[in-house]
């Protein structure tokens, strides 16, 4: 979602070929976002129309698992659905919420924060060092990210680039 806010959602397509989002994320980010005139809603919708962002239907048991997860953890429905889909599909999930990351970790699900996506794109030579810096700066305007974290990512990128 944060990548859509900085108009860099396509980096996910370049990295992974496609992205799966659960129904609630689509409702919250696209449907409600469009009603509010949020430009990121149109970025995500464009990915859906192009076919590389897929909205996955939740099986009945996944819905039950999502409700149970929300009942036991302080996370929202979008995070809970994303965690359950990742668990069931045995795939990593992108999470920026601290509590959601803790829940995913406790379930043995691989996760990463959005802030690491530009670094991964840099390591895989999808973006330049200049683009990496720009993306991190842009993300720091839409996510709560410590300047120390940004500095560490840039330091690591410098080592990779050597």
């Amino acid at each position: 979602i944060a990548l859509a806010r900085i108009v860099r959602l396509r980096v996910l397509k370049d990295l992974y070929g496609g992205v799966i989002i659960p129904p609630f994320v689509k409702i919250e980010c696209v449907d409600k976002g469009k009603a509010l005139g949020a430009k990121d809603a149109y970025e995500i919708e464009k990915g859906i129309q192009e076919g590389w962002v897929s909205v996955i239907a939740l099986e009945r048991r996944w819905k039950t698992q999502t409700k149970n997860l929300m009942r036991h953890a302080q996370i929202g429905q979008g995070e809970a659905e994303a965690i359950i889909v990742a668990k069931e599909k045995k795939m990593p999930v992108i999470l920026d919420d601290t509590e959601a990351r803790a829940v995913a970790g406790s379930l043995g699900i691989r996760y990463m924060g959005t802030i690491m996506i530009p670094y991964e794109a840099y390591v895989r030579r999808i973006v330049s060092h200049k683009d990496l810096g720009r993306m991190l700066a842009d993300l720091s305007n839409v996510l709560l990210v410590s300047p120390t974290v940004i500095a560490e990512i840039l330091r690591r990128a410098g080592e990779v680039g050597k």
Side-chain angles (χ1 to χ4, degrees), residues 71-85:
R71 200 172 11 254
H72 294 97
Q74 298 291 321
I75 61 173
Q77 187 172 343
E79 286 92 356
E81 285 183 0
I83 288 168
I84 295 303
V85 168

Side-chain angles (χ1 to χ4, degrees), residues 53-150:
V53 174
S54 303
V55 181
I56 190 168
L58 296 185
E59 296 177 14
R60 177 175 284 137
R61 68 184 173 85
W62 296 4
K63 291 178 184 178
T64 301
Q65 290 174 353
T66 296
K67 288 177 186 166
N68 288 337
L69 201 54
M70 290 171 57
R71 200 172 11 254
H72 294 97
Q74 298 291 321
I75 61 173
Q77 187 172 343
E79 286 92 356
E81 285 183 0
I83 288 168
I84 295 303
V85 168
K87 178 177 155 256
E88 294 297 323
K89 292 281 196 181
K90 296 176 178 34
M91 58 194 322
V93 62
I94 299 169
L95 297 167
D96 292 316
D97 180 84
T98 305
E99 181 71 17
R101 288 182 191 187
V103 170
S106 73
L107 295 172
I109 298 165
R110 288 184 306 129
Y111 65 87
M112 75 169 66
T114 302
I115 200 70
M116 290 306 293
I117 300 295
Y119 175 75
E120 186 175 343
Y122 173 73
V123 168
R124 292 182 47 194
R125 309 250 188 272
I126 293 168
V127 301
S128 68
H129 194 274
K130 184 178 179 180
D131 282 340
L132 169 65
R134 190 175 307 120
M135 288 175 72
L136 292 173
D138 291 347
L139 282 170
S140 72
N141 290 323
V142 296
L143 293 172
L144 292 175
V145 183
S146 158
T148 307
V149 169
I150 301 246

Side-chain angles (χ1 to χ4, degrees), residues 21 43 51 71 78:
I21 61 172
E43 282 290 305
R71 200 172 11 254

